[in-house]
Amino acid sequence: MSLGVVLLCALLYVGILFATAWRVDALAKQGKSRLMRNPYVYSLSLAVYCTAWTYYGSVGRASASGLSFLAIYLGPAIIAPLWYFLLRKMIVISKNQRINSIADFISARYGKSGHLATLVTIIALFGVIPYISIQLKAVSFSIDVLTEHQYPYFKPDAPLLADATFWVMLAMAVFTMLFGARKLDPNERHEGLIAAVAFESLVKLIAFWVVGLFVIYGLYNGLGDLFTQAAANPETARLFSLSGAGVSPTSWTMYMLLSALAIMLLPRQFHVAVVENTHPRQVNTAMWLFPLYLLLINFLVLPIALAGKMILGSSAPSDTYVLTLPIHEHLHILSLIVFIGGFSAATSMVIVSSTAISIMVSNHLVLPMLIRLKLIGQETTPRGASTLLDVRRVSILGVLMLALLFLKSIGGSYDLVSVGLISFTAVAQFAPSALFGMYWRRGTRKGAIAGLWIGFLIWAYCLPAAAIAEAGFLSQSFITDGPWGISSLRPYHLFGMEGMDNISHAAFWSLLLNTGAFLIVSLYTQPSALELTQANIFVNIHRYVAGEEYDVVKRAAKISDLHRVMGRFLDPSHVSAIFSNFEKENKIKLDQQKNAEPELINYAETQLAGIIGASSARLAIGSVAKEENITLEEVMQVLEQTREVLRYSKALEQKSSELETTTRQLIAANEQLKALDRLKADFITTVTHELRTPVTSIKALSKILLDYRAELPEEKLQSYLNILVSESERISRLINQVLDIEKIESGTDEYLPTEPFSLDEIVRTTAGGMAQLFRERSIEFTSNIPEETLEVAGNRDRIVQVVVNLLSNALKFCDAREGRVSLSLQKAGSEAVLRVADNGKGIPPEQHVHIFDKFTQLNSKTEGKPQGTGLGLYITRKIVEHHGGSIKVMSAVGAGATFEVRLPIYPSNT
Amino acid sequence: MSNSLTPRLLLLSAIALLLFEYPLLSLADKNALLGELPLLYVYSFSVWLLLIVLTALLIRRKKDRIP
């Protein structure tokens, strides 16, 4: 077959793709295309997962190690049921945050970090460029096989322009630039492109089944016949089982893990599954339809591989069996169909990958640089929209050129599956930060950066660096002995690990240390306020989807500035549409305001992020929006939001401590009440007891008088009557005192400072009145009262009572034989000090406080009960206190007692 | 999105993992024929198909319940 025919077919096919994409884009522009909402189209577009690696490489791998290729498809199949919450959550987050690439996703999760976005983009570039290059290689060798029928097919030395691969690559680049970077859309939807990809998925599946059915029914009599013949030959029979084919369980497990992660994290998979998704509901269909697609495309791989091995053996490379079997039978039309199938598998991957990568490269590598260097987004620079598209287009071409260069330099020496798996291992490094980030709020930016760097470096060391050495660019001893002869650093046996294939080995170490670093660094670092907000949105996205996002980092900007910045990246009509949309959503009028609310700034940033990525948008908006310092209150709000558990436990703690305090107070109150109750009971007991004693004697004496009145001598009668009188007086005194206490305690007594009166006069009069009593008991009484007038205000009679109480107290308690009582009144500053001293037996210091309480009498066994009611001093203290004064006693046992009363002098002008 | 479907799908996924992973996989990983077809070939594709059918049934049932 001539090269012309093959290229014509390829061009025709690309023409069909162009037509499809064009038509769908045109329909979409008119809003007529419902294709994107179709879940079957969505599921088919996911099948971009099946590349030339699947189409040609699986057969190659199956002819060497049986069903081991299945691990790459079982991984996605096993994880597909989990998409119901995993992928759907990813989609909801991405739509809410206008995320348009995996780099954006990870960067947005960790506080819109530019560092992370760049790092993820670089890892993706390293992983994806070789991957694209093997697609080009597959196309290149299929053309060579078709045109020359000879091997080896690969000619790295051919000049660029004479190489068909270059022209094929250029055609793909043109297609991608046209449909992958046609317009700037904040939703980053490419209807035409997706339609073409879905179409290609059908083409490759049908082509593969055509060749499969031809092999089974054209070359054999059905599947049974094929397997029976294969079973007869030990060389092919050993491929029936994994153990027979020499596949280790570790590799099987590792490949399943890698593919399960890659199905969501590969840039092109993220693009079709998340970015191009129009509704999370589409995932429901994809959950079973996509695994079904994988099952169908893999079902005939083993039969084809066995047939190729039996018919062609080693006369053709096993990677080309799909194509060489029809050629061997001289079926040109069939071989062309196979070629188109493989071509479609390769082109769909290249188109979507380069679109996805170009978004990342332009948004996370080129744009931040241009913004920082002030080459874009300034007054003097041309408007951003066209520049942005140019950057995209150049990125697409650049990525494809790099892939071709890679192929020309070292890629040729590798088989399809190995390079694909190296890519898988690279993108699997995104797993800890991306997946943990959706469910674990504690993950921090520093943790993500540490994990990604460590994983990336180990990957680079164990796989590409070793591959470079194998390709002859480094000494072979780097692989066999390790660098500088350190055997524990051998790239295929890191730390002396044996018994794993190269990919599993690299995947194991890089993922283990990546995850470990991510977790440990996250636990030991503190997230910033913005990180906390973003983490909260990612983890609790379902709380935010309906409601509005709350802003933590408060920003302020003029609306006109916001307009200006957005205008540098977007069409003016687009900008006005965004602002009017915001007005409609929030029901406000922006032209009445001058300064933009934080909500508007956020809205603008999110909209801009849809086009230039989260970190670039933050940079651009940051040029006009000033960040206000977060208030303590707001920080508290964040803390509350993010640490509800802590709050709840704190609240609980507070409640319990409040409860404890209340309990303590209640216990104290209860004690007080009990003491009061006891006191009251004591009071009543004492009062009744005090009353009963005189009543008893009055009763007895009255009875005597009644019965023996006539027989009693006159003096006896007299004394009895005297006793009766004094006992009655005692009762009335007691009652008066109780009433006094009642009055004083209930506060009904009048103590308002009425007319001032002279204290010295009262004291002099009272002392004079009492002097007779002292003389009667032959007690020496001295008084020292100054001439000057000391005026106090209050209740005159109560003050008299105080003086009487103190003097009669001294009278009672002074020494029985040589009693001495002295009274003194003097002025001390603004107070009048009254002292009454006796020479009695004194009061022990521990009683100095108690004697002023109710019914406190100093009882002592030897001296019996003293006279009095025990209420006098209590009443005295109360009266003094009500007059704003104080009373105290100075005494020692055996040295008498001195009572001191201090009363405030009535303010006078003199 | 949170209803009784999530735990069921988790369980389904876990069972599929168990069936496609050692040591259970070693039960089918033999150089034997089941009829005319290799045992492992039949095992992998039928378990896989079953997984797809069950997933589809679970999702479909949910659609019926929630109009």
Side-chain angles (χ1 to χ4, degrees):
Chain A
M1 208 183 292
S2 73
L3 182 66
V5 174
V6 176
L7 284 182
L8 191 70
C9 282
L11 274 178
L12 260 177
Y13 177 73
V14 173
I16 295 172
L17 286 188
F18 268 89
T20 314
W22 213 281
R23 181 90 191 107
V24 171
D25 261 355
L27 282 175
K29 211 169 188 177
Q30 297 162 22
K32 282 183 189 162
S33 171
R34 300 185 59 82
L35 210 60
M36 290 302 286
R37 302 212 193 110
N38 188 324
Y40 298 97
V41 172
Y42 175 73
S43 307
L44 279 177
S45 73
L46 291 185
V48 71
Y49 182 69
C50 299
T51 63
W53 158 10
T54 309
Y55 198 83
Y56 295 114
S58 285
V59 171
R61 163 116 344 184
S63 59
S65 52
L67 286 167
S68 70
F69 69 93
L70 267 189
I72 302 301
Y73 306 94
L74 284 176
I78 290 170
I79 210 165
L82 308 187
W83 286 357
Y84 184 66
F85 51 91
L86 208 59
L87 185 56
R88 284 176 66 141
K89 187 170 189 180
M90 235 178 192
I91 290 170
V92 174
I93 292 170
S94 299
K95 297 299 164 199
N96 177 263
Q97 297 281 296
R98 302 262 176 212
I99 285 165
N100 53 31
S101 70
I102 180 72
D104 226 5
F105 187 82
I106 293 177
S107 128
R109 161 62 180 81
Y110 300 101
K112 305 185 181 177
S113 151
H115 183 165
L116 267 176
T118 310
L119 181 56
V120 171
T121 304
I122 287 170
I123 296 175
L125 266 178
F126 269 92
V128 170
I129 284 176
Y131 201 176
I132 293 177
S133 86
I134 59 169
Q135 309 302 317
L136 299 177
K137 174 181 167 181
V139 172
S140 160
F141 81 58
S142 61
I143 292 176
D144 284 349
V145 168
L146 270 181
T147 52
E148 293 174 32
H149 300 228
Q150 56 179 335
Y151 327 106
Y153 48 82
F154 190 69
K155 308 181 298 298
D157 305 326
L160 198 63
L161 294 181
D163 193 337
T165 322
F166 173 72
W167 298 104
V168 170
M169 183 278 284
L170 213 57
M172 293 184 191
V174 169
F175 183 91
T176 316
M177 286 192 277
L178 277 178
F179 295 102
R182 205 167 56 82
K183 60 181 169 59
L184 278 181
D185 173 13
N187 298 316
E188 210 57 71
R189 295 241 172 83
H190 309 89
E191 290 88 354
L193 189 113
I194 291 301
V197 167
F199 171 70
E200 295 206 274
S201 293
L202 279 180
V203 170
K204 65 193 174 201
L205 181 63
I206 292 167
F208 199 81
W209 267 74
V210 168
V211 69
L213 291 176
F214 154 73
V215 167
I216 294 166
Y217 294 103
L219 303 180
Y220 295 89
N221 294 319
L223 214 51
D225 180 38
L226 193 156
F227 278 122
T228 317
Q229 287 195 33
N233 185 347
E235 185 54 30
T236 44
R238 72 174 182 88
L239 299 177
F240 285 5
S241 72
L242 292 173
S243 47
V247 179
S248 81
T250 323
S251 307
W252 175 262
T253 308
M254 272 299 173
Y255 292 173
M256 284 213 294
L257 174 69
L258 285 177
S259 58
L261 298 176
I263 192 64
M264 286 187 293
L265 301 176
L266 273 171
R268 70 171 191 282
Q269 292 303 138
F270 189 88
H271 188 81
V272 290
V274 177
V275 180
E276 302 279 0
N277 178 285
T278 49
H279 197 287
R281 208 184 303 118
Q282 291 179 321
V283 172
N284 290 7
T285 307
M287 274 165 62
W288 58 269
L289 191 55
F290 175 62
L292 186 63
Y293 183 96
L294 293 182
L295 184 145
L296 289 177
I297 207 162
N298 280 293
F299 189 65
L300 298 178
V301 167
L302 188 64
I304 295 174
L306 293 171
K309 223 165 155 58
M310 287 187 285
I311 293 168
L312 297 168
S314 56
S315 70
S318 53
D319 271 354
T320 66
Y321 280 164
V322 187
L323 198 54
T324 43
L325 273 172
I327 291 173
H328 185 261
E329 301 295 320
H330 303 288
L331 293 166
H332 296 302
I333 302 297
L334 184 62
S335 50
L336 262 180
I337 293 175
V338 173
F339 165 73
I340 293 298
F343 188 63
S344 72
T347 45
S348 60
M349 184 278 177
V350 171
I351 290 166
V352 181
S353 280
S354 50
T355 302
I357 281 283
S358 77
I359 293 173
M360 286 160 71
V361 167
S362 65
N363 285 358
H364 304 306
L365 288 183
V366 181
L367 259 187
M369 213 148 37
L370 292 182
I371 293 175
R372 285 223 168 84
L373 295 175
K374 299 194 190 294
L375 291 175
I376 194 173
Q378 297 295 309
E379 304 288 358
T380 50
T381 52
R383 221 190 52 243
S386 58
T387 321
L388 275 178
L389 279 180
D390 290 342
V391 169
R392 288 268 174 95
R393 291 179 185 130
V394 171
S395 307
I396 290 169
L397 197 62
V399 166
L400 290 181
M401 279 303 291
L402 278 175
L404 191 65
L405 280 178
F406 180 83
L407 177 66
K408 292 241 164 221
S409 53
I410 59 171
S413 55
Y414 265 89
D415 67 304
L416 298 176
V417 176
S418 305
V419 176
L421 281 172
I422 291 175
S423 285
F424 274 28
T425 316
V427 298
Q429 305 309 322
F430 304 151
S433 35
L435 298 183
F436 276 109
M438 286 201 293
Y439 292 95
W440 191 48
R441 249 189 314 216
R442 194 64 187 79
T444 66
R445 187 179 63 89
K446 288 187 179 118
I449 288 174
L452 275 172
W453 269 113
I454 286 176
F456 174 53
L457 290 177
I458 291 175
W459 169 83
Y461 182 77
C462 291
L463 291 172
I468 287 166
E470 271 186 10
F473 291 93
L474 275 171
S475 155
Q476 283 296 308
S477 66
F478 175 73
I479 295 169
T480 52
D481 305 327
W484 307 290
I486 303 169
S487 72
S488 62
L489 288 182
R490 283 171 298 163
Y492 291 152
H493 301 283
L494 209 55
F495 312 125
M497 179 76 79
E498 303 280 349
M500 278 173 135
D501 67 293
N502 302 344
I503 303 283
S504 306
H505 169 264
F508 172 76
W509 280 122
S510 58
L511 283 177
L512 179 78
L513 297 178
N514 177 344
T515 312
F518 170 70
L519 295 179
I520 291 168
V521 174
S522 285
L523 286 174
Y524 282 94
T525 50
Q526 289 305 318
S528 68
L530 185 60
E531 277 177 78
L532 271 180
T533 321
Q534 289 297 100
N536 209 28
I537 290 171
F538 270 57
V539 174
N540 299 318
I541 185 68
H542 296 296
R543 281 191 217 159
Y544 292 94
V545 174
E548 48 198 285
E549 176 193 352
Y550 71 96
D551 190 24
V552 179
V553 182
K554 280 232 166 165
R555 289 179 293 176
K558 289 201 185 94
I559 290 183
S560 56
D561 282 348
L562 222 49
H563 246 289
R564 207 152 38 81
V565 163
M566 299 199 48
R568 286 173 205 157
F569 295 95
L570 303 168
D571 293 327
S573 61
H574 200 148
V575 178
S576 333
I578 287 175
F579 278 87
S580 61
N581 224 13
F582 182 80
E583 286 182 329
K584 224 184 292 165
E585 276 178 26
N586 292 283
K587 296 191 181 73
I588 49 167
K589 282 264 169 272
L590 288 180
D591 43 353
Q592 291 164 2
Q593 303 176 358
K594 193 174 161 218
N595 291 320
E597 296 281 307
E599 286 78 26
L600 177 61
I601 300 173
N602 267 9
Y603 185 79
E605 187 185 307
T606 319
Q607 295 299 320
L608 199 55
I611 288 157
I612 61 175
S615 52
S616 296
R618 192 165 170 73
L619 214 59
I621 296 287
S623 64
V624 292
K626 277 191 224 74
E627 279 187 17
E628 285 174 5
N629 279 339
I630 314 167
T631 63
L632 187 66
E633 201 178 309
E634 283 162 328
V635 173
M636 289 309 287
Q637 208 180 350
V638 178
L639 284 175
E640 267 182 34
Q641 283 282 346
T642 50
R643 299 187 184 157
E644 288 148 289
V645 182
L646 202 70
R647 194 182 64 188
Y648 283 133
S649 85
K650 249 190 195 149
L652 221 67
E653 228 172 75
Q654 202 184 338
K655 271 259 162 62
S656 80
S657 84
E658 270 171 21
L659 226 73
E660 237 173 68
T661 318
T662 316
T663 314
R664 254 202 313 276
Q665 285 169 348
L666 275 173
I667 290 173
N670 192 33
E671 282 303 316
Q672 221 172 340
L673 273 174
K674 271 190 196 162
L676 277 177
D677 190 47
R678 239 188 343 261
L679 226 60
K680 205 94 189 166
D682 284 353
F683 182 73
I684 290 167
T685 318
T686 319
V687 168
T688 43
H689 177 78
E690 294 295 330
L691 282 172
R692 203 172 50 199
T693 322
V695 167
T696 314
S697 56
I698 289 171
K699 203 169 101 190
L701 288 175
S702 314
K703 218 170 166 134
I704 292 171
L705 285 177
L706 197 66
D707 294 347
Y708 309 104
R709 191 178 33 203
E711 300 152 39
L712 281 173
E714 184 58 23
E715 60 270 39
K716 204 100 188 167
L717 198 69
Q718 192 64 37
S719 108
Y720 281 175
L721 284 172
N722 275 342
I723 291 173
L724 276 179
V725 169
S726 80
E727 287 298 285
S728 310
E729 276 172 352
R730 194 169 154 196
I731 291 174
S732 71
R733 198 166 61 236
L734 191 66
I735 290 171
N736 281 339
Q737 280 181 337
V738 170
L739 286 175
D740 277 350
I741 288 173
E742 176 57 30
K743 258 190 202 163
I744 291 165
E745 284 192 340
S746 66
T748 50
D749 210 4
E750 306 104 36
Y751 289 103
L752 288 172
T754 48
E755 279 298 290
F757 49 88
S758 65
L759 182 64
D760 56 301
E761 193 196 312
I762 290 174
V763 174
R764 210 171 286 124
T765 319
T766 317
M770 297 277 285
Q772 181 57 30
L773 273 171
F774 287 105
R775 267 197 297 278
E776 277 175 12
R777 306 214 184 161
S778 46
I779 291 168
E780 187 189 332
F781 177 61
T782 55
S783 67
N784 178 19
I785 301 159
E787 288 305 315
E788 63 172 321
T789 314
L790 288 172
E791 285 200 314
V792 295
N795 190 318
R796 195 173 195 277
D797 295 341
R798 291 291 179 206
I799 296 296
V800 173
Q801 197 178 352
V802 167
V803 180
V804 171
N805 275 354
L806 287 178
L807 283 177
S808 45
N809 232 28
L811 185 70
K812 265 184 254 170
F813 294 110
C814 67
D815 196 77
R817 269 158 285 172
E818 292 175 31
R820 270 200 309 277
V821 171
S822 68
L823 178 144
S824 76
L825 180 69
Q826 64 191 76
K827 187 181 166 183
S830 61
E831 286 178 321
V833 181
L834 173 73
R835 285 201 190 89
V836 176
D838 63 62
N839 65 341
K841 59 186 186 308
I843 303 158
E846 66 267 18
Q847 294 288 344
H848 285 190
V849 184
H850 295 301
I851 52 165
F852 295 107
D853 286 343
K854 269 182 241 178
F855 296 115
T856 310
Q857 289 172 323
L858 295 178
N859 291 325
S860 103
K861 296 255 159 69
T862 50
E863 290 170 49
K865 198 176 185 295
Q867 311 133 288
T869 56
L871 288 172
L873 276 176
Y874 174 73
I875 291 169
T876 309
R877 174 172 70 103
K878 283 282 171 193
I879 292 168
V880 170
E881 279 172 3
H882 274 291
H883 281 81
S886 63
I887 184 166
K888 65 175 180 184
V889 64
M890 293 159 290
S891 171
V893 178
T898 307
F899 286 87
E900 181 186 288
V901 170
R902 287 169 175 269
L903 287 169
I905 294 174
Y906 183 74
S908 61
N909 294 332
T910 52
Chain B
M1 220 195 261
S2 61
N3 51 32
S4 62
L5 203 53
T6 301
R8 284 175 208 200
L9 289 168
L10 262 172
L11 185 68
L12 186 63
S13 185
I15 292 173
L17 180 65
L18 215 60
L19 289 174
F20 279 123
E21 193 45 82
Y22 292 91
L24 280 185
L25 189 66
S26 62
L27 295 178
D29 189 21
K30 297 195 171 88
N31 264 17
L33 290 179
L34 191 75
E36 289 177 313
L37 307 178
L39 175 64
L40 183 63
Y41 184 75
V42 175
Y43 173 83
S44 336
F45 283 98
S46 42
V47 172
W48 192 351
L49 191 64
L50 198 67
L51 169 67
I52 292 166
V53 169
L54 286 176
T55 310
L57 281 180
L58 278 175
I59 285 287
R60 291 266 149 166
R61 280 250 308 276
K62 182 226 163 201
K63 262 190 203 158
D64 293 340
R65 276 205 309 271
I66 302 162

